[in-house]
Amino acid sequence: AHKTSNRDSHMEACRKTLAMLGMKFFNFNRERTNSSSTRKAARFQAKYASLFKSDFLEDNSQGANGDNLVDKLQKWKTMLEFGISRVPDKSNLQEVSPSLSWFSSQAPDLWAGACESKSLTASNAQHDAPASLDNALFKAKRSSALAAAKTNSHAVLVAANSEGLGGYTGGGAATVEIPGQYAPTSSSVIDSRPFPELHVKLVKFHQTLELTRTSTKQHVHRITMIGSDGKKYRFLLQLAIQYWIRTDERSAQVQYVMGKALRRDIRASRRFLTTRPTVVIPVAQRMRMSANETSHQSLDSVFRSVQGPKTNVLTSYFQEKVTSRLNELGEVQEGKANQTMRDAKLMVYQDICDNLVLPNILSKYMTEMIPSAERLFQFRHVFTSQLAANSLLQYAFAVVERTPNRFVFCNSTGKILSQDFRSQYNHGLLEKHDVPFRMTRNISEFIGPFLLEGVFVPSFSIISSAMHSKRSILEPILHLLLRDDVMSWYISKSSAKNDQKMQDVERQLSDRVWKNVRFVQDRLEECSPRDVADASSEAVKLNPDPIDMKVRSLVDAATSVEKLSMMP
């Protein structure tokens, strides 16, 4: 009776969800507004509205059967995927957006200071450079080169005045920069103010608009910008909920802060440890523009290129085999149900590893991409150090859902990108997980035991120590980032919209934010190398504990077959 009631409640929830989908996409149960629907939306409604209504909203007798409902959902998935597959991969930009197609600009050759405001540039042109300026060009003594730079800066200001810009707000020329050249999406070893006159400017858009499939299996448009340096810069135009866009920005800020900490740590500098923020530019409330290159590959795309499209059905195969195994065992005692589930998942997981998935897929793919043994070793070295930084962030911030389609790397440089890097909250608090970070069989086989022991573990400890050494400096930064993240998470699940309600919510969540800050700092501290007070007594022990024992225990947990089989 209990199972029957649960099944009925699940079916009722499915009916409500389908009714909401019908209202959202087909305007069921509400007045139609032709002004708010585009031509594509109108064609979609005319083609699928009646079929959706007959399958999910009218036939309640068959809809009560769960198996029948699953079959219909599978039919709709196949039907919609077939419709998407018929969309051309490339289209002419002039047909989609004539204004972008016609855009053309010639970037001027600007001198340093040309993009300053009028008051700052004028003072630089008329007087000696003040000592407070951090620009080394204006700290130099008078010279012919400096005089020429000042003269050109003043000439650009005059041209700006003639164009009606005034020069007070900066911008010596009406040019558009390529997005992603400011902090936190771009970092520099100089750690100084940006130099807009040296940034790459947008010359024009490529006339071909591509339709591509992202790591999250979304079909999105990819637009290409041609910069003044002659390079092509590709960006994906993605629709996403507002909380995801804010989270992507915070992820870039965290990596920017980590990069600054690593550049100031002597051990990290000796190992050339760096991080690369993911360029994500908010365009609208629910639209983002993320940088993308043809060299960016996900583990999912690597698996499909080596083993073919059959990897797409592994998830459903795993669930079906586990269900079949449990049905074979029949009724199980209530106290042994969890252990029975664990045993069934472990058996199916081992069967998949032995018979369906090769253990060296990533190695085979990279061997074909980089045939040179020397270059391949260098790639593996960079990949391992990047994996250590990425894994530390996953563990410290309790990041979840690092599925193969979200594990993205550059197959030419070895850099690992942190796409869709989101923490898991339980009532506003960060949660602990059995698997600290992604270190599956193919990844551990690719980096090998020598790089795992000689690069991954030391890099993991050094990065954690560099972050922990800046504990007092990082505390307000972490508080600001985690506060913003928790607030966005809470607002996405509530109706608090005005300022008064936002302030009340912030006061309620203040303790949880501080607990999350302590959570992150404690994890960074425990992963740092252990301080040994008496080295002589430690050395004479039969089995001395390694100073990086915590990191090694995390690696063991991440590679444990039992824990990997229980991952959702």
Side-chain angles (χ1 to χ4, degrees):
H2 179 67
K3 293 183 178 180
T4 303
S5 62
N6 287 338
R7 188 183 302 110
D8 294 339
S9 62
H10 289 322
M11 291 301 302
E12 184 64 26
C14 290
R15 293 192 193 97
K16 291 182 180 180
T17 303
L18 291 171
M20 292 176 60
L21 289 176
M23 184 182 301
K24 179 178 181 179
F25 292 101
F26 302 108
N27 297 325
F28 293 147
N29 300 328
R30 66 179 180 182
E31 295 182 359
R32 296 180 179 270
T33 54
N34 295 328
S35 59
S36 61
S37 60
T38 61
R39 289 183 298 174
K40 289 185 178 180
R43 289 198 298 267
F44 180 82
Q45 293 174 7
K47 186 175 182 180
Y48 296 108
S50 59
L51 184 59
F52 184 90
K53 191 172 183 179
S54 61
D55 280 349
F56 299 112
L57 302 182
E58 292 180 350
D59 195 0
N60 293 328
S61 59
Q62 293 184 0
N65 187 350
D67 295 337
N68 185 268
L69 179 61
V70 170
D71 293 339
K72 289 183 177 181
L73 290 174
Q74 187 66 35
K75 181 191 74 173
W76 271 81
K77 178 183 177 182
T78 305
M79 182 171 57
L80 294 177
E81 286 180 347
F82 177 74
I84 294 175
S85 64
R86 299 179 62 185
V87 178
D89 295 336
K90 297 180 180 180
S91 56
N92 196 335
L93 183 63
Q94 187 173 4
E95 299 176 356
V96 179
S97 177
S99 57
L100 294 182
S101 174
W102 298 336
F103 178 86
S104 179
S105 175
Q106 185 66 35
D109 185 13
L110 300 181
W111 292 79
C115 293
E116 301 282 354
S117 62
K118 181 176 181 179
S119 58
L120 182 59
T121 309
S123 64
N124 292 335
Q126 297 174 5
H127 307 287
D128 290 333
S132 58
L133 290 176
D134 59 354
N135 189 351
L137 293 176
F138 291 117
K139 288 182 180 179
K141 296 181 179 181
R142 290 184 177 274
S143 63
S144 58
L146 182 61
K150 293 177 180 179
T151 303
N152 280 274
S153 299
H154 186 70
V156 171
L157 265 182
V158 174
N161 286 327
S162 64
E163 293 176 5
L165 300 178
Y168 290 98
T169 58
T175 58
V176 180
E177 296 182 7
I178 298 293
Q181 301 185 79
Y182 292 89
T185 55
S186 177
S187 58
S188 172
V189 296
I190 303 177
D191 285 336
S192 63
R193 68 179 180 88
F195 298 93
E197 59 275 0
L198 303 180
H199 288 176
V200 181
K201 308 301 188 298
L202 174 62
V203 175
K204 63 179 181 179
F205 291 91
H206 197 276
Q207 295 302 308
T208 301
L209 188 67
E210 300 174 283
L211 183 68
T212 183
R213 181 173 178 173
T214 65
S215 59
T216 55
K217 299 182 180 181
Q218 294 179 339
H219 288 80
V220 297
H221 286 100
R222 180 166 64 187
I223 192 169
T224 303
M225 302 180 185
I226 300 178
S228 56
D229 58 350
K231 297 181 180 179
K232 295 181 179 180
Y233 298 85
R234 297 173 177 86
F235 293 89
L236 298 178
L237 302 177
Q238 297 174 301
L239 293 175
I241 62 177
Q242 187 176 3
Y243 169 63
W244 287 5
I245 297 177
R246 298 284 296 275
T247 303
D248 292 332
E249 184 177 1
R250 284 186 292 274
S251 173
Q253 292 168 350
V254 169
Q255 295 185 69
Y256 176 75
V257 172
M258 175 182 281
K260 291 175 72 71
L262 294 180
R263 288 194 294 272
R264 285 164 172 77
D265 186 81
I266 183 63
R267 292 175 299 175
S269 298
R270 285 172 178 170
R271 286 181 171 266
F272 303 101
L273 298 177
T274 59
T275 58
R276 178 181 179 179
T278 303
V279 179
V280 179
I281 310 298
V283 178
Q285 186 176 9
R286 295 181 178 273
M287 177 176 287
R288 63 184 180 182
M289 187 169 62
S290 57
N292 178 266
E293 297 294 338
T294 55
S295 59
H296 293 175
Q297 298 289 336
S298 65
L299 285 182
D300 181 67
S301 62
V302 171
F303 291 167
R304 284 188 280 107
S305 64
V306 175
Q307 290 212 166
K310 68 177 183 179
T311 55
N312 297 333
V313 300
L314 287 179
T315 302
S316 59
Y317 176 84
F318 178 81
Q319 295 173 351
E320 291 174 1
K321 287 296 182 180
V322 170
T323 303
S324 176
R325 176 62 179 171
L326 294 176
N327 292 335
E328 292 176 0
L329 295 176
E331 294 293 335
V332 182
Q333 296 180 5
E334 185 175 354
K336 298 182 179 180
N338 292 334
Q339 185 61 37
T340 304
M341 175 66 74
R342 289 176 178 272
D343 294 340
K345 287 188 175 182
L346 178 59
M347 186 189 68
V348 177
Y349 176 80
Q350 290 177 338
D351 177 66
I352 292 176
C353 292
D354 295 338
N355 302 318
L356 297 180
V357 179
L358 296 175
N360 57 345
I361 293 177
L362 187 56
S363 297
K364 291 181 63 176
Y365 175 81
M366 291 312 306
T367 302
E368 295 177 358
M369 295 295 299
I370 306 177
S372 171
E374 184 178 357
R375 284 188 56 201
L376 181 60
F377 177 79
Q378 179 64 24
F379 178 91
R380 291 170 59 200
H381 191 283
V382 175
F383 179 87
T384 305
S385 62
Q386 289 286 304
L387 181 64
N390 192 274
S391 300
L392 176 61
L393 290 178
Q394 292 181 45
Y395 175 68
F397 289 89
V399 177
V400 295
E401 295 183 358
R402 304 316 298 164
T403 54
N405 53 14
R406 287 188 170 91
F407 191 99
V408 182
F409 65 97
C410 179
N411 60 17
S412 60
T413 63
K415 301 288 186 179
I416 295 180
L417 286 76
S418 301
Q419 293 188 347
D420 300 315
F421 215 70
R422 302 182 184 91
S423 302
Q424 177 70 31
Y425 292 101
N426 183 11
H427 300 289
L429 296 174
L430 292 174
E431 279 190 311
K432 296 181 179 180
H433 304 284
D434 294 334
V435 181
F437 45 82
R438 186 175 185 89
M439 181 65 75
T440 50
R441 185 179 58 161
N442 267 276
I443 298 177
S444 59
E445 190 276 337
F446 173 67
I447 63 179
F450 295 106
L451 290 179
L452 181 64
E453 295 286 339
V455 176
F456 182 86
V457 174
S459 299
F460 198 105
S461 301
I462 290 172
I463 297 172
S464 181
S465 178
M467 298 285 286
H468 177 62
S469 64
K470 307 293 183 182
R471 183 185 182 99
S472 59
I473 300 176
L474 289 177
E475 183 172 305
I477 300 175
L478 289 175
H479 183 273
L480 181 62
L481 295 175
L482 292 173
R483 174 259 174 200
D484 194 17
D485 198 33
V486 172
M487 288 290 295
S488 300
W489 168 82
Y490 188 86
I491 293 172
S492 66
K493 300 179 180 297
S494 64
S495 58
K497 299 300 181 182
N498 57 46
D499 294 340
Q500 183 62 38
K501 290 184 178 180
M502 291 282 291
Q503 294 175 2
D504 295 340
V505 169
E506 185 173 358
R507 283 191 292 268
Q508 295 174 6
L509 298 176
S510 177
D511 293 339
R512 303 180 189 182
V513 173
W514 278 113
K515 288 182 180 179
N516 291 336
V517 173
R518 298 289 181 264
F519 179 91
V520 174
Q521 290 185 328
D522 291 344
R523 289 201 159 187
L524 293 175
E525 181 180 4
E526 67 186 17
C527 293
S528 302
R530 179 174 57 88
D531 294 331
V532 180
D534 189 358
S536 59
S537 62
E538 186 80 12
V540 298
K541 289 183 179 180
L542 293 178
N543 296 311
D545 296 330
I547 59 175
D548 53 4
M549 182 175 60
K550 179 61 179 178
V551 180
R552 295 178 182 275
S553 64
L554 293 177
V555 172
D556 293 338
T559 55
S560 172
V561 178
E562 291 79 8
K563 293 182 179 181
L564 287 175
S565 64
M566 294 300 296
M567 288 182 65

